[in-house]
Amino acid sequence: MERGIIPRKIKGFRDIDASLNELRQHIIRSASAVYRKYGFEHWDTPVLEYADALGKYMPDEDTVDQGVYNFRNPEEEPVAGTDGNELRDADAKAIMEHHALALRYDLTAPLARVYAERLWQDVKRKQIMETNAPLFRRFQYGPVYRYELKLMPGRFREFWQLDFDTVGTNDVAADAEACIILAEAMEAIGLNRGTYVVKVNNRKVLKGFLASIGVTGDQEEQGVLRVIDKLDKIGWSDVEAELGTGRTDSSGAAVPGMNLHAEAIGRIMRFLRSATGVSSRKSVLGELETAVAGNNLGMEGIAELKNMDALWAALGFDETRIIFDPTLMRGMAYYTGPVFEVESLLTFKDEKGKERKVGSICGGGRYDGLVEKLLGLKVPATGASIGVDRLAELLRMVDPAGVTAKGPVMIAFFDDDLQTQYYRIAAELRQAGIDVEVYCGFFKGFRKMNKQMAYADAKNCPAVILLGADEAAKGVATVKNLKLGKELALTTFDKKEWNAQVQKEVPLGNLVEYILGLPGMK
RNA sequence: CCCCCUGUAGCUCAGUUGGCUAGAGCGCCGGAUUGUGGUUCCGGAGGUCAGUGGUUCGAGCCCACUCGGGGGGACCA
């Protein structure tokens, strides 16, 4: 059989219709305005980057591994050495290569690249050092790409993030501010207070605690963090099992355990539970303080949290908006200090009527080691990211009616002789700031009136302007209010009467004024 | 990548112990209404029953494999 062309999308990628775009823009506009208010400037970066600049990904050969889309650059370019000079072979010829490229998997790694790229030369010249690394605050939104093996509803391979980050400070005031910004952004977007909560923890506290009970080494530490991260998914007893000998899940598959000593497991579980159900930030701090007493790193983490708490308290951000949660881990390994997450407290019923949580809609934290990997200079940074699509889904559930895109005012096409007039009226209305479309579907049969009306209806147009020979002779246009028509359809069943109520003849001279005066036109 | 479930019209689904030409609702198209979206009425189109092979006189239904979808798990910088 011959190979055919089937119109279709790549798995995990979506088409975004007018309504979803509307929602997306609403989220981006509202949150960006908050970011701007705090001094963040708007940047964009390419979706495609050199794979090695995106972090620790150095894909060997052509393998797509670890969830990243990568490609070979069609262009051959010289390979650089650690000093930035071209590598040369025995004959002094530059070594050329098709470099590995990757689609960005978040907006944080490109930020580190932007920052490092600007300073790289100066760092080499020792003009920039840890003590004078510049402060940089930017927000950025756009699509990111992950090669997810398993796609679940609400999980895509292309999705949008909306990030804001502060690079160049180790003051946790920046972290505290990030949490405040997240809370304000949620409310600007339209989430009511009490339907979300910003949860905050500090990796230093847990790391210090683990060190004090003898769990050391990156491998083991990461393992414990990963297990704890699953707490809200698998529950207390399964976490305990995975720290120990492992467990068998509901499908019968064996989940290997960490094989920690019973003593250590007991202390970890006690530590995690210590602050559960404790409502005030101050008492959580108290519980944690006794748990990590004597460990330097742990105490440092507590001090940072205290600092943040003081700022929030001074600005009136109490536990209705920001809480401490010692079980919060975040998956990313690069976080080094405070981590935060916004959880939606709303629930919804799935198709089977099962009550489900919306869960995490934003995440972030401090990553003091990320820039260092690219720049060789330790530059601390912190920031957070809003999951735009996750949030869009949430808003759709909260207010399904409020998320349809508004269409243009439509001018119906009756008569070829009046065509120029249609376009003149359209131009005049546009001048007044109104979105206008002159109907131009000219295929056979498609100029029929009911076709045109159905088109306007499907596009959610607020009004249709009807101007035929009759109207032209009188110097008027018939304006039909589709919005009103939709409402009256529920109570009026006679066609003639229905039409009479939603249509009005308007002198052409008053058209702009009349349209602007329609409800919802603004 | 592992385990379980599943695949019938654009969508949601019915289809008896294997038995004539595979059905419904919604949507779509046309008409009543040639100058009008809703409502109402009438008519119409639309299917390789996911694919391939097998069992059988006969398969949408049974078996095997492949592909797609859903759920759970592992992984997730």
Side-chain angles (χ1 to χ4, degrees):
Chain A
M1 202 170 20
E2 215 175 311
R3 178 182 283 248
I5 302 169
I6 315 299
R8 71 213 146 118
K9 282 185 292 296
I10 302 166
K11 254 195 289 190
F13 288 70
R14 301 171 291 165
D15 297 321
I16 309 297
D17 67 15
S19 294
L20 189 49
N21 260 328
E22 193 74 15
L23 246 186
R24 222 182 223 179
Q25 289 306 315
H26 163 74
I27 291 167
I28 288 167
R29 265 197 306 270
S30 315
S32 297
V34 176
Y35 297 171
R36 237 184 258 276
K37 223 176 245 181
Y38 282 81
F40 294 85
E41 55 185 72
H42 184 187
W43 277 63
D44 276 325
T45 65
V47 291
L48 203 56
E49 298 265 6
Y50 287 112
D52 56 7
L54 278 188
K56 70 182 217 181
Y57 277 102
M58 302 284 266
D60 29 293
E61 309 309 320
D62 291 321
T63 53
V64 176
D65 64 344
Q66 304 289 330
V68 191
Y69 279 99
N70 64 52
F71 315 93
R72 286 283 161 183
N73 196 346
E75 181 181 28
E76 263 198 322
E77 294 175 298
V79 178
T82 46
D83 57 1
N85 295 324
E86 293 166 5
L87 288 183
R88 299 191 172 266
D89 62 19
D91 304 323
K93 274 172 61 184
I95 296 170
M96 303 291 278
E97 191 180 283
H98 296 281
H99 283 86
L101 309 178
L103 287 172
R104 63 184 183 200
Y105 50 83
D106 69 13
L107 299 177
T108 311
L111 165 68
R113 193 224 80 218
V114 166
Y115 188 91
E117 186 174 345
R118 274 202 314 195
L119 295 184
W120 178 65
Q121 294 291 346
D122 289 341
V123 169
K124 264 203 337 185
R125 293 187 198 107
K126 305 266 186 237
Q127 287 169 351
I128 297 285
M129 285 164 293
E130 279 185 34
T131 46
N132 66 347
L135 185 63
F136 179 50
R137 313 183 97 189
R138 69 89 249 235
F139 73 90
Q140 176 174 359
Y141 54 85
V144 301
Y145 302 85
R146 294 185 194 179
Y147 179 67
E148 301 282 355
L149 288 159
K150 198 187 154 188
L151 296 162
M152 293 180 291
R155 194 164 187 188
F156 306 102
R157 288 174 170 177
E158 179 189 51
F159 57 96
W160 280 46
Q161 290 192 329
L162 205 186
D163 285 35
F164 64 97
D165 295 84
T166 303
V167 186
T169 179
N170 55 23
D171 190 338
V172 292
D175 301 82
E177 201 176 36
C179 298
I180 286 173
I181 290 169
L182 282 174
E184 288 191 357
M186 291 306 107
E187 295 184 20
I189 286 164
L191 296 188
N192 293 324
R193 192 166 304 176
T195 68
Y196 72 90
V197 66
V198 183
K199 303 198 294 190
V200 181
N201 192 16
N202 194 332
R203 284 235 174 134
K204 286 180 185 171
V205 175
L206 190 86
K207 279 191 177 185
F209 168 74
L210 289 178
S212 75
I213 62 165
V215 176
T216 48
D218 277 2
Q219 199 90 344
E220 209 172 18
E221 194 181 278
Q222 274 301 318
V224 173
L225 256 60
R226 203 184 56 240
V227 173
I228 295 173
D229 192 38
K230 294 199 285 189
L231 175 63
D232 56 334
K233 197 172 173 185
I234 63 178
W236 292 100
S237 58
D238 282 344
V239 164
E240 191 162 5
E242 282 198 34
L243 289 172
T245 54
R247 64 187 176 96
T248 307
D249 69 23
S250 55
S251 72
V255 180
M258 299 279 307
N259 291 314
L260 298 180
H261 296 299
E263 154 81 11
I265 296 172
R267 291 194 61 178
I268 292 173
M269 296 307 289
R270 236 174 300 138
F271 172 82
L272 291 177
R273 287 187 201 266
S274 66
T276 305
V278 180
S279 58
S280 95
R281 293 197 296 253
K282 289 234 170 358
S283 24
V284 175
L285 287 177
E287 293 286 341
L288 293 178
E289 202 160 2
T290 46
V292 301
N295 180 276
N296 285 341
L297 187 64
M299 289 311 288
E300 188 184 320
I302 301 269
E304 289 178 356
L305 292 180
K306 274 187 176 161
N307 225 317
M308 295 165 75
D309 175 55
L311 252 172
W312 297 328
L315 294 169
F317 284 79
D318 61 15
E319 284 84 351
T320 57
R321 287 189 273 184
I322 304 174
I323 62 167
F324 285 135
D325 179 355
T327 67
L328 175 70
M329 282 306 124
R330 306 281 314 148
M332 308 284 190
Y334 59 56
Y335 290 127
T336 53
V339 288
F340 21 92
E341 184 170 291
V342 178
E343 186 187 344
S344 167
L345 302 174
L346 298 170
T347 57
F348 65 99
K349 291 208 165 69
D350 65 13
E351 317 82 55
K352 288 164 196 151
K354 209 164 100 185
E355 191 92 348
R356 284 182 184 252
K357 286 184 185 166
V358 174
S360 165
I361 44 183
C362 310
R366 175 163 285 277
Y367 45 98
D368 288 348
L370 196 56
V371 173
E372 188 179 8
K373 281 181 186 154
L374 291 173
L375 197 58
L377 184 72
K378 193 168 156 69
V379 181
T382 186
S385 172
I386 294 182
V388 176
D389 296 283
R390 189 70 81 82
L391 202 48
E393 281 309 309
L394 172 60
L395 291 181
R396 218 203 273 265
M397 286 180 331
V398 171
D399 180 19
V403 301
T404 42
K406 199 185 98 189
V409 168
M410 198 187 87
I411 300 179
F413 197 112
F414 278 94
D415 198 326
D416 289 337
D417 294 339
L418 293 169
Q419 186 172 39
T420 53
Q421 189 169 0
Y422 295 149
Y423 283 94
R424 220 165 29 225
I425 291 170
E428 199 186 328
L429 289 167
R430 287 184 193 120
Q431 204 94 51
I434 301 165
D435 298 340
V436 190
E437 174 175 356
V438 180
Y439 186 85
C440 64
F442 289 157
F443 293 106
K444 189 181 174 195
F446 277 80
R447 214 191 260 177
K448 297 173 68 167
M449 255 319 111
N450 56 358
K451 278 279 172 250
Q452 301 194 33
M453 293 307 301
Y455 176 82
D457 190 42
K459 240 175 147 165
N460 204 24
C461 295
V464 173
I465 295 170
L466 304 158
L467 206 172
D470 299 352
E471 283 92 348
K474 287 197 277 183
V476 300
T478 301
V479 177
K480 188 180 179 90
N481 185 339
L482 293 197
K483 218 177 177 157
L484 181 63
K486 214 166 267 176
E487 287 159 22
L488 254 41
L490 301 169
T491 50
T492 307
F493 300 101
D494 181 75
K495 189 140 204 155
K496 282 210 176 77
E497 191 193 326
W498 183 57
N499 267 327
Q501 284 196 66
V502 299
Q503 287 178 197
K504 191 165 193 299
E505 280 195 355
V506 180
L508 289 176
N510 300 342
L511 200 53
V512 172
E513 193 190 347
Y514 181 80
I515 298 277
L516 282 173
L518 287 175
M521 285 302 298
K522 158 90 188 316

